[in-house]
Amino acid sequence: MDECCSKKGGEIAQLGAKQDQRRVLLIVLAINAVMFFVEFGAGLIARSSALQADAVDMLGDALVYVLSLYVINRGAKWEAGAALAKGALILFLFLVIVVEIVHKLINGVPPSSNLMLIFGSLALVANLTCLALLWRFRKLNVNMSSTFECSRNDVAANLGVLLAAGLVAWFNSPWPDIAIGSIIALIFLRSAIRVIREAWPQFRASRPSTS
């Protein structure tokens, strides 16, 4: 009886942990979805490729959290598969930023540094909130680890946007926006490689063996 109760208590604790994950992911999903529309609109008005790229990243994160919610309670294979999908999504965002940088090189116009500072700061507050919510789950499993990785990338990207805004205002040139965008792109590339490299062995190990 004691052993049975002990096992049941452990199952309840695991279920509670899953519910905690779901609640946190729903919150960060809502934050990122709202911030995508806010920041992308600001990026269009400010003519800032950095803000637009960061907004696309917000949209990517919203999709990432949908994936994370979908695989909760579905087992290691699903969690590793979702992590692989997130890695591919991060890689896609890297390519989006590269395209934006090329466009800026061809049609470079200095963006509005004031709007970049205002909405870049708002995005930073939003992403720091998400990072704080995800912190205690960062090493729970490969699914939550890759989700935390995405959120951490967002904070780095936001800091880059703010730095670009300051430099654009100082030099009245689009080049800081281009330079920071390039750095953000490299961060995404590194993160995509890391997430895929971590998730692929777990995905393969979780697949049923055929004889």
Side-chain angles (χ1 to χ4, degrees):
M1 175 69 73
D2 291 340
E3 183 180 356
C4 179
C5 291
S6 176
K7 289 181 178 179
K8 185 177 180 180
E11 291 172 356
I12 292 174
Q14 290 179 6
L15 179 60
K18 297 293 185 181
Q19 290 173 342
D20 287 344
Q21 290 179 57
R22 186 177 297 276
R23 182 171 59 252
V24 167
L25 289 172
L26 282 170
I27 293 172
V28 295
L29 167 60
I31 291 173
N32 279 271
V34 170
M35 282 305 303
F36 162 70
F37 291 103
V38 172
E39 194 174 16
F40 192 81
L44 289 174
I45 295 171
R47 302 187 307 275
S48 169
S49 58
L51 276 179
Q52 291 177 50
D54 198 43
V56 171
D57 181 39
M58 289 282 193
L59 176 62
D61 282 345
L63 296 176
V64 162
Y65 298 132
V66 168
L67 278 174
S68 296
L69 284 166
Y70 182 74
V71 301
I72 286 179
N73 291 327
R74 290 178 180 267
K77 180 181 178 180
W78 281 92
E79 290 178 348
L84 280 176
K86 289 176 220 175
L89 183 57
I90 297 172
L91 187 60
F92 171 74
L93 292 173
F94 160 75
L95 296 175
V96 169
I97 296 174
V98 169
V99 170
E100 190 65 35
I101 290 170
V102 172
H103 176 74
K104 199 75 171 184
L105 287 170
I106 297 173
N107 306 297
V109 177
S112 170
S113 57
N114 288 335
L115 288 177
M116 288 178 69
L117 285 170
I118 292 171
F119 288 94
S121 298
L122 182 61
L124 178 61
V125 171
N127 282 318
L128 284 174
T129 301
C130 293
L131 195 67
L133 289 169
L134 292 166
W135 178 261
R136 66 190 178 105
F137 299 113
R138 68 191 186 282
K139 295 182 179 179
L140 185 63
N141 53 48
V142 66
N143 178 40
M144 296 303 290
S145 176
S146 58
T147 302
F148 179 80
E149 181 90 15
C150 293
S151 186
R152 187 173 61 184
N153 285 346
D154 292 342
V155 172
N158 292 147
L159 293 174
V161 170
L162 294 177
L163 177 60
L167 293 176
V168 165
W170 183 269
F171 294 106
N172 191 31
S173 167
W175 282 104
D177 199 31
I178 294 170
I180 296 300
S182 300
I183 294 173
I184 293 173
L186 291 176
I187 291 174
F188 282 124
L189 178 60
R190 174 184 172 274
S191 181
I193 293 172
R194 178 178 175 181
V195 169
I196 292 172
R197 183 179 295 171
E198 179 183 353
W200 178 246
Q202 297 189 38
F203 180 76
R204 291 194 62 185
S206 63
R207 293 171 62 184
S209 58
T210 58
S211 56

